[in-house]
Every structure is written in structure tokens, then in C-alpha cells.
């Protein structure tokens, strides 16, 4: 499996994503934001950062870049797409995932490690985790407060599209474990087909013990396992 890591002006997690993918045994290459050729790519990764300076709002300008136009078509054909942090915000702006991202509750940028509970391990990205498993990943964002209208929230719940929720170290989903005010303690969701995942925490920053843990590497190895690596 070959991953393409998109590089926007302002991306700052692209190299970390490339490293994590290769560490998991995947082929990986960079894709420039003006590119339109996704031939040979099996999974597109939209990394974290501040694409186009986050002007207007996070992800709003990147959504109109040439590469994202191709990513939308790629996803609709069943291609795998992973959006991390700013990448998640771009997927929401592009309409590949439902909902919107608001500024954090408290209006402060947050950078720390958080606990997540795995709510769906049937996606290509989460198949390496156990259902209900509690993992720890870093977050670093100012606009990670997920919001959706009641009908959309009901659909996300009923269709199993919520993949990760913020929780405490014991797996309890509670407001005190919610770092940004996200509805339903949502940290990551997928589309109905399960081939598009957006998440605010950074799995690429938790791939080695020296980084504080390897919970994030499991996500990349989940992708690698699809091709028997």
C-alpha cells in the first residue's frame, strides 16, 4: 500500500506522517497541494498544521486547492483518506465528513496528551485496536470543538461513525476528559462507508516509546495490515 502525504503551505506534520507510515511498513511519498495526479496512491493523508495560515477559518482555503479536488473524487471512488487535526478540519470543509469545527471551549490553544476510547474498530484505520480500548495520543489545536446538528449527531451515533471519543484513563466518557468541548466527546469520525477518517489527535506523534507511547503506530499498522504487511 502506498500513502500520499499532502503538503500545503503551512503544513507542519507532513514529515511526521511520512515517517510514521514508513515505520509501519507502508510506502509513502509527499504530494504537493497543487498536484492533481493520485495515480498509484492507495491512501491519502492530510496532515496537521495551519494550511494557508488558517485564514478565514481552519481548512477553508485548503478545501479549494487542486489536490483536495482530486481527493474528493478519490474518496468517492472508495479511496482511503485520513485527515489529522488540520486535515480533519479540511475534510469537514470539503464535505467528505459531516459537521463543523469550532474554536476550543475556553478559546485557548491546547497542547497535551489525552485519552481516547475506541468506539469503532471496523474501519481500515482502526482495525488494529480492540473495541473499547483506551489509548493515549497528543492533541495540539485551537479549533477542535466538533459540532453537528441534532439529526447529524443521531445519525453518527446510530451508524457507528464515531471512531474515537475523549475519555479519562479508565475509559469513562465525561466532560472533565473533554479537552475542547466537542459534542459527544467526539475526537474522530468516519464517513458512512468507513473509507474516510478525520481525527483531531495526532497518531503520527505516538509511534515510538521515546515519544511517550506507540498507540498511534497501531493506526498506521492497521493500514499496513490491509496488504499483509
Amino acid at each position: 500500500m502506498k500513502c500520499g502525504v499532502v503538503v500545503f503551505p503551512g503544513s507542519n506534520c507532513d514529515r511526521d506522517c511520512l515517517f510514521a507510515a514508513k515505520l509501519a511498513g507502508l510506502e509513502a511519498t509527499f504530494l504537493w497541494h497543487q498536484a492533481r495526479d493520485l495515480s498509484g496512491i492507495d491512501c491519502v493523508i492530510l496532515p496537521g498544521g495551519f494550511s494557508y495560515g488558517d485564514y478565514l477559518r481552519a481548512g477553508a482555503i485548503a478545501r479549494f486547492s487542486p489536490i483536495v479536488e482530486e481527493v474528493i473524487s478519490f474518496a468517492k471512488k472508495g479511496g482511503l483518506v485520513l485527515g489529522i487535526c488540520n486535515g480533519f478540519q479540511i475534510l469537514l470543509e470539503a464535505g467528505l465528513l459531516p459537521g463543523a469545527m469550532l474554536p476550543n471551549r475556553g478559546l485557548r490553544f491546547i497542547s497535551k496528551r489525552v485519552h481516547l476510547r475506541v468506539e469503532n474498530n471496523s474501519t481500515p484505520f482502526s482495525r488494529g485496536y480492540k473495541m473499547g480500548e483506551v489509548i493515549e495520543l497528543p492533541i495540539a489545536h485551537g479549533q477542535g470543538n466538533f459540532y453537528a446538528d441534532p439529526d447529524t449527531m443521531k445519525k453518527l451515533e446510530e451508524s457507528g461513525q464515531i471512531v474515537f471519543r475523549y475519555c479519562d484513563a479508565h475509559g469513562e466518557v465525561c466532560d472533565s476528559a473533554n479537552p475542547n468541548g466537542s459534542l459527544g466527546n467526539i475526537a474522530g469520525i468516519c464517513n458512512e462507508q468507513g473509507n474516510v477518517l478525520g481525527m483531531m489527535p495526532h497518531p503520527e506523534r505516538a509511534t515510538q516509546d521515546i515519544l511517550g507511547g506507540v498507540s498511534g503506530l497501531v493506526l498506521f499498522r492497521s493500514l499496513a495490515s490491509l496488504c499483509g504487511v
Side-chain angles (χ1 to χ4, degrees):
M1 176 179 287
K2 186 173 184 178
C3 294
V5 181
V6 178
V7 182
F8 298 99
S11 294
N12 61 16
C13 300
D14 43 334
R15 293 182 182 276
D16 293 335
C17 286
L18 191 85
F19 175 82
K22 289 184 175 180
L23 188 63
L26 297 161
E27 286 187 65
T29 187
F30 288 125
L31 298 170
W32 188 231
H33 68 116
Q34 293 177 320
R36 290 188 175 276
D37 184 9
L38 294 181
S39 57
I41 299 297
D42 302 297
C43 177
V44 175
I45 300 176
L46 303 178
F50 304 90
S51 58
Y52 301 95
D54 275 357
Y55 289 112
L56 297 180
R57 62 181 178 274
I61 297 178
R63 177 261 175 271
F64 294 102
S65 65
I67 191 74
V68 172
E69 290 180 13
E70 299 304 317
V71 170
I72 292 171
S73 176
F74 177 79
K76 289 180 177 177
K77 294 175 184 174
L80 299 176
V81 180
L82 169 63
I84 302 169
C85 196
N86 189 225
F88 186 10
Q89 295 160 339
I90 294 168
L91 292 177
L92 294 171
E93 291 287 341
L96 286 175
L97 291 173
M101 208 63 78
L102 303 176
N104 291 344
R105 176 175 60 184
L107 303 180
R108 287 192 172 187
F109 188 94
I110 303 170
S111 178
K112 66 177 186 178
R113 301 182 72 85
V114 298
H115 291 99
L116 308 173
R117 192 172 75 189
V118 177
E119 302 288 294
N120 179 347
N121 70 343
S122 63
T123 77
F125 312 92
S126 59
R127 63 200 301 262
Y129 298 108
K130 297 176 183 175
M131 273 296 289
E133 181 177 351
V134 178
I135 63 175
E136 186 176 341
L137 294 179
I139 58 169
H141 57 249
Q143 298 180 47
N145 183 357
F146 179 81
Y147 174 81
D149 62 69
D151 288 342
T152 300
M153 285 296 292
K154 185 172 185 288
K155 186 176 180 182
L156 288 173
E157 296 278 3
E158 293 179 347
S159 58
Q161 289 176 247
I162 299 172
V163 181
F164 300 109
R165 289 187 206 266
Y166 299 110
C167 68
D168 65 17
H170 305 290
E172 182 182 356
V173 175
C174 52
D175 189 61
S176 61
N178 187 338
N180 48 34
S182 289
L183 281 183
N185 280 47
I186 286 176
I189 61 172
C190 65
N191 63 349
E192 286 186 79
Q193 295 73 28
N195 64 305
V196 179
L197 171 69
M199 59 189 296
M200 288 310 294
H202 288 267
E204 79 283 7
R205 297 184 187 178
T207 56
Q208 295 176 294
D209 288 332
I210 196 172
L211 297 175
V214 296
S215 291
L217 185 60
V218 176
L219 186 147
F220 292 95
R221 283 182 171 162
S222 294
L223 292 170
S225 69
L226 295 173
C227 54
V229 176

